[in-house]
Amino acid sequence: MLSYRHSFHAGNHADVLKHLCVMLVLEKLTIKAKPAIYIDTHSGAGLYDLVSAEANKTKEYLSGVSKILQYDGNNAVVRRYQSLIKPYIDKEVYPGSPVIANEILREQDKLVLMEFHNTEIQNLKDNVRESNSRGKIAIHHRDGFEGLLAISPPKPSRGLVLIDPPYEVFSEYQQVAETLEKTIKKWRVGTFMIWYPLLSKRAGIKSGESQRMRQKLASLDVKNCLNVELCVDNLQQDCGMYGSGLVIINAPWQVDESLADVLPDLHKLLATASEGSDDQKGFSVEWLKQEIQAE
Ligand code: SAM
């Protein structure tokens, strides 16, 4: 049985990093007029009520998206993300990955949204129906790992897959790597973005598992593999999830440069650890493998 509900965490620092990366990659993929596809294997509900009891139990959005709204710097990517989410926040809702993608995609593009949870799939259908959809949207009530493999390679073949599991179950780390290994054999040109949490020792056996998964992903038979990480908390405080990261396989051209520009501002906005208390810089953008960058 699935028990994870993203409404407790919507708009936190990890969502901000992930959704800004989704926006950036889709912007690059839609520069050319050719159609593109966006596949979300773990879509969630699409929209999250920021005044709900769930959101206000944890108030994680206060140290995430609320800080973005206060941004008055010059970074164009943060500015674009800020103006993309502002109309939603004004209505006291936070837009999840399917809605962010839908905002960027055009008439010629396609969205495939998968969600396994019985309640969240209904929420997703209702929320996406309400938002303005330009591209063609298909919503599947199914296991996203099985679903991705089944529809690969999709048409069009230019596109982004977001793999964003809850990692509630330890086997999900392994499932991500195994699914990608098989999918990449069928669909070599897709861009795959895999989100993962950075967990302190308090997480027990899950601590360090994201880093092991990241190494497995980098060893897959792919042309390039970019990694971005943002730590918001001091590891020594043993704070649970101290940050998050994404592996981007077949990252579009110049995404690395845009991310390297944006991370210092994001870190300044979102980090809660006091300066100098940790030996880490707090963020990184690095190639785990780099042969060719996709256009
Ligand atoms: N991607 C969303 C976003 O950024 O707005 C958040 C997704 S949330 C982290 C993970 C979602 O995956 C939950 O809604 C959960 O119900 C769903 N889920 C869990 N296991 C799944 C599976 N095997 N296939 C598809 N969805 C699954």
Side-chain angles (χ1 to χ4, degrees):
M1 204 188 82
L2 303 174
S3 57
Y4 178 90
R5 296 299 293 272
H6 196 62
S7 43
F8 288 95
H9 312 289
N12 69 4
H13 61 85
D15 262 4
V16 167
L17 175 68
K18 173 180 45 182
H19 296 153
L20 191 137
C21 287
V22 167
M23 180 194 82
L24 199 52
V25 169
L26 285 179
E27 283 176 346
K28 304 269 186 203
L29 285 173
T30 51
I31 291 173
K32 288 187 181 169
K34 283 185 196 162
I37 190 166
Y38 171 76
I39 301 173
D40 206 324
T41 58
H42 296 69
S43 296
L47 286 175
Y48 301 93
D49 181 356
L50 290 175
V51 290
S52 69
E54 289 99 322
N56 285 288
K57 187 165 180 205
T58 54
K59 293 194 190 300
E60 290 185 24
Y61 64 90
L62 290 180
S63 50
V65 67
S66 298
K67 299 266 181 75
I68 293 291
L69 295 178
Q70 294 158 15
Y71 182 73
D72 60 1
N74 296 323
N75 185 278
V77 176
V78 184
R79 285 272 182 216
R80 287 204 298 283
Y81 176 61
Q82 196 182 40
S83 46
L84 195 155
I85 61 172
K86 176 98 176 29
Y88 293 94
I89 308 291
D90 286 347
K91 292 185 207 149
E92 300 185 303
V93 290
Y94 178 73
S97 50
V99 173
I100 298 280
N102 194 31
E103 284 281 349
I104 314 254
L105 294 181
R106 311 149 300 173
E107 262 178 26
Q108 63 267 45
D109 302 324
K110 212 166 149 185
L111 279 90
V112 181
L113 309 175
M114 300 177 194
E115 171 59 48
F116 213 14
H117 192 287
N118 292 337
T119 312
E120 290 301 68
I121 186 73
Q122 198 47 53
N123 293 337
L124 178 67
K125 285 180 180 168
D126 294 344
N127 288 330
V128 168
R129 211 172 284 140
E130 269 179 35
S131 65
N132 297 328
S133 62
R134 284 178 286 273
K136 290 186 202 83
I137 305 187
I139 302 181
H140 300 190
H141 186 191
R142 72 196 297 182
D143 173 0
F145 293 117
E146 167 275 318
L148 174 62
L149 195 54
I151 67 165
S152 292
K155 276 194 182 146
S157 63
R158 295 178 72 246
L160 170 67
V161 179
L162 173 66
I163 303 182
D164 181 24
Y167 298 102
E168 258 195 320
V169 184
F170 188 68
S171 58
E172 281 176 299
Y173 294 92
Q174 180 74 18
Q175 232 178 332
V176 169
E178 283 175 4
T179 303
L180 272 165
E181 187 175 11
K182 291 180 194 154
T183 304
I184 280 160
K185 283 186 185 142
K186 295 173 76 180
W187 183 17
R188 302 203 73 84
V189 298
T191 297
F192 300 90
M193 187 184 283
I194 303 95
W195 179 86
Y196 59 81
L198 290 169
L199 301 172
S200 70
K201 288 205 184 83
R202 200 203 294 170
I205 56 162
K206 286 187 191 166
S207 173
E209 202 50 31
S210 290
Q211 290 85 339
R212 281 185 280 279
M213 180 183 78
R214 188 183 60 194
Q215 288 322 113
K216 276 189 209 153
L217 295 176
S219 71
L220 294 177
D221 180 19
V222 293
K223 298 275 185 222
N224 84 50
C225 191
L226 184 66
N227 184 217
V228 52
E229 287 192 349
L230 175 66
C231 302
V232 296
D233 237 313
N234 187 334
L235 233 184
Q236 279 129 30
Q237 283 170 5
D238 196 18
C239 50
M241 183 167 82
Y242 63 89
S244 66
L246 295 123
V247 169
I248 309 174
I249 293 172
N250 295 334
W253 196 51
Q254 291 180 332
V255 161
D256 56 334
E257 290 171 23
S258 304
L259 285 172
D261 273 355
V262 88
L263 262 287
D265 280 25
L266 264 195
H267 184 256
K268 218 180 283 170
L269 268 178
L270 302 179
T272 52
S274 53
E275 260 182 64
S277 56
D278 199 341
D279 55 2
Q280 294 189 351
K281 190 162 119 204
F283 59 88
S284 61
V285 179
E286 60 177 358
W287 289 103
L288 302 175
K289 187 184 244 181
Q290 187 182 23
E291 284 176 35
I292 298 173
Q293 267 186 277
E295 259 191 71

